[in-house]
Amino acid sequence: TGGGPPFGARCYVLGAPDAGKTLFVVAIADHLLAKGMDVGFLAIDEEPGDVLTRFLQRRGFSRQDCEHRSQRDLAAMRAAMADVGLFLYGDELTIEAAAQDLAARAQKRGRPAALIIDSIQTARSESEPADASMHVAVTLRTRAIRAL
């Protein structure tokens, strides 16, 4: 990418199932968080809690720590994620709703923001009809992303 994508660019990560796409975008999101950005993660293919586990593992917590959730570990996890600027959204939100919420939060915090959508095949746009074909749905979702 010649030094990385320019700020504000849209990037699409493609690959076969279990190729590591989510792991890759979690690493990118964590890098953006470390640079002081707010990151919204619209988690559709995985539960938001599972995505949070990935972030916690990057901060030294084991999967077992995340699953057993002892009071001591929970306190340490809360401290590790306090004011990090990570906002997890589930499948109850559309692309537009997640983007609007993230924009409001980032503006209030005075920080730039990035929205990660996992995945475009399963996210929803406010503009798509319920009976849309996959081609039409993905096209409308891509348009929504461009507009945001």
Side-chain angles (χ1 to χ4, degrees):
T1 61
F7 185 76
R10 290 178 307 277
C11 299
Y12 299 90
V13 178
L14 309 169
D18 294 323
K21 298 176 299 293
T22 301
L23 178 63
F24 178 66
V25 294
V26 165
I28 290 171
D30 209 26
H31 175 77
L32 296 174
L33 291 168
K35 295 290 186 186
M37 289 182 69
D38 283 348
V39 174
F41 201 108
L42 181 55
I44 308 295
D45 282 357
E46 293 187 26
E47 294 290 322
D50 293 336
V51 173
L52 178 59
T53 295
R54 289 176 181 251
F55 281 95
L56 288 166
Q57 287 176 307
R58 294 182 60 82
R59 284 160 177 73
F61 295 93
S62 70
R63 184 163 198 87
Q64 185 177 10
D65 294 337
C66 296
E67 290 174 354
H68 289 140
R69 302 181 187 127
S70 72
Q71 290 303 318
R72 188 189 90 240
D73 288 341
L74 282 174
M77 289 175 200
R78 282 188 199 98
M81 298 304 293
D83 201 40
V84 167
L86 175 66
F87 304 101
L88 299 173
Y89 305 105
D91 62 2
E92 72 280 359
L93 292 183
T94 62
I95 294 166
E96 295 89 346
Q100 289 169 352
D101 183 77
L102 175 62
R105 290 172 183 260
Q107 184 176 21
K108 184 177 179 180
R109 293 163 50 92
R111 296 169 72 164
L115 178 64
I116 293 175
I117 302 167
D118 187 23
S119 86
I120 196 167
Q121 287 94 350
T122 52
R124 292 178 299 113
S125 170
E126 293 173 359
S127 64
E128 66 187 77
D131 61 349
S133 69
M134 180 58 74
H135 174 75
V136 169
V138 170
T139 299
L140 292 171
R141 294 166 193 165
T142 302
R143 286 181 185 160
I145 292 166
R146 286 182 186 149
L148 298 168

